[in-house]
Amino acid sequence: MRLTVTTWNINSIRIRLPLIRQFLATCRPDILCLQEIKCRDAEFPWNEVRGLGFEHVEISGQKGYHGVAVLSRLPLATVEKGAFCRHGHARHIAVTLGADAGTAAGVTIHNFYVPAGGDVPDPALNPKFEHKLHFMDCMMAGPTRLRATRAVLVGDLNVAPLETDVWSHKALLSVVSHTPVEVDLFGRVQAAGPWVDAMREKFDPAEKLFTWWSYRSPDWESADKGRRLDHVWLSPDLRDNLEAITVHKEARGWEKPSDHVPVTAVLQL
DNA sequence: ATGGTTGTGGAACAA
């Protein structure tokens, strides 16, 4: 069977429902992982989301900020949330597909929203940056250490690791998301799985590849000062099951867009 | 070096 997984930082699910509908008109993933839903569980548009065809919905929400959700057409067996974050932010949810999910049964999907880290790239001066590093430390080696077998890890990881993951490597060396300390730690988190960078399996690492363009640039497309902050990682046993990756860049140009675009992985299981 | 925009919630904060 084919398993299709999309990750999308939606930047408020309540005002972005029309955009999700627009996306689903051309791409109908089995699993849609959302970040920055920005609502409490009770404020989540449950009925609308079920109306979109996702019968199985798990969310970790909080008031106003952050928040992650997994929307699934396939049955889920287990759900975990709340790990990795010292401050109790809603930044992670993991699901395992149920025994009745065909050959995808037992696959685990981690959905992450790693802290952005503020503006100053110095953990001694900026608590948000220190928290970002701590969060990644927990992903790598914490008590809730990830087990990378039959697993997919997606989300807004808020790090652009490669020189080609930013519009200008030189210009962004001291900009949070692309600093050497973050990139180094990001690499160690990836190696700890170990995890396969699925996007770079399909897109030449020598080519620029972005998933986010700031709102603060009205001419985002012509300026093209993007970054690859959103990621799809696979456990190594699933590397050969990866059929395709799509970066839905067109979504950045839709009406009232998120600043992030969806990324979709197709696995043949 | 600065400022540029968006969302929540109704000021200030996060991104």
Side-chain angles (χ1 to χ4, degrees):
Chain A
M1 70 177 278
R2 253 202 191 103
L3 179 70
T4 305
V5 181
T6 297
T7 178
W8 196 1
N9 179 322
I10 198 68
N11 188 18
S12 168
I13 190 168
R14 286 176 290 180
I15 65 163
R16 224 69 79 183
L17 276 169
L19 215 64
I20 295 177
R21 279 193 200 96
Q22 189 169 352
F23 175 71
L24 294 176
T26 56
C27 180
R28 300 191 61 81
D30 301 297
I31 313 276
L32 176 54
C33 294
L34 301 173
Q35 305 88 36
E36 281 207 270
I37 59 173
K38 290 188 172 176
C39 64
R40 299 185 189 94
D41 295 23
E43 298 157 338
F44 187 85
W46 297 98
N47 292 336
E48 290 87 341
V49 163
R50 293 205 181 94
L52 298 173
F54 296 101
E55 208 177 318
H56 312 275
V57 179
E58 295 291 343
I59 87 167
S60 177
Q62 69 178 82
K63 179 182 165 65
Y65 304 108
H66 321 313
V68 289
V70 178
L71 284 47
S72 176
R73 301 180 198 278
L74 299 169
L76 306 174
T78 67
V79 183
E80 292 176 60
K81 40 185 123 169
F84 306 100
C85 183
R86 185 173 65 191
H87 300 311
H89 299 167
R91 294 183 177 276
H92 171 256
I93 185 167
V95 301
T96 305
L97 300 183
D100 38 358
T103 49
V107 170
T108 297
I109 293 150
H110 289 278
N111 179 14
F112 274 98
Y113 178 48
V114 173
D119 289 330
V120 180
D122 183 338
L125 298 176
N126 173 10
K128 287 185 200 159
F129 191 73
E130 192 276 330
H131 178 229
K132 180 180 195 175
L133 299 179
H134 182 267
F135 189 99
M136 285 198 279
D137 272 334
C138 292
M139 288 175 74
M140 177 172 62
T144 45
R145 168 194 223 121
L146 302 172
R147 181 184 56 86
T149 313
R150 268 178 85 72
V152 182
L153 187 158
V154 303
D156 176 3
L157 305 186
N158 266 317
V159 176
L162 306 183
E163 295 190 10
T164 49
D165 290 335
V166 292
W167 64 275
S168 166
H169 170 60
K170 266 192 174 172
L172 290 181
L173 269 173
S174 60
V175 173
V176 171
S177 74
H178 193 61
T179 63
V181 61
E182 289 166 88
V183 169
D184 175 72
L185 179 51
F186 189 85
R188 285 185 284 129
V189 173
Q190 192 182 334
W195 297 97
V196 174
D197 180 349
M199 295 175 71
R200 287 307 188 178
E201 289 286 298
K202 297 297 183 185
F203 289 92
D204 185 348
E207 302 292 324
K208 283 193 161 60
L209 183 62
F210 308 146
T211 64
W212 172 90
W213 292 262
S214 172
Y215 282 129
R216 301 178 193 182
S217 170
D219 56 343
W220 70 275
E221 191 162 23
S222 52
D224 200 26
K225 292 186 171 180
R227 305 178 204 169
R228 184 169 72 111
L229 302 177
D230 303 275
H231 296 270
V232 178
W233 287 355
L234 301 176
S235 55
D237 56 318
L238 294 183
R239 181 198 300 260
D240 294 338
N241 300 87
L242 178 64
E243 192 171 284
I245 291 278
T246 306
V247 178
H248 305 267
K249 183 177 177 180
E250 68 278 8
R252 185 63 180 78
W254 293 346
E255 182 115 5
K256 291 272 283 177
S258 168
D259 44 356
H260 296 253
V261 299
V263 179
T264 297
V266 181
L267 301 175
Q268 188 68 50
L269 294 173

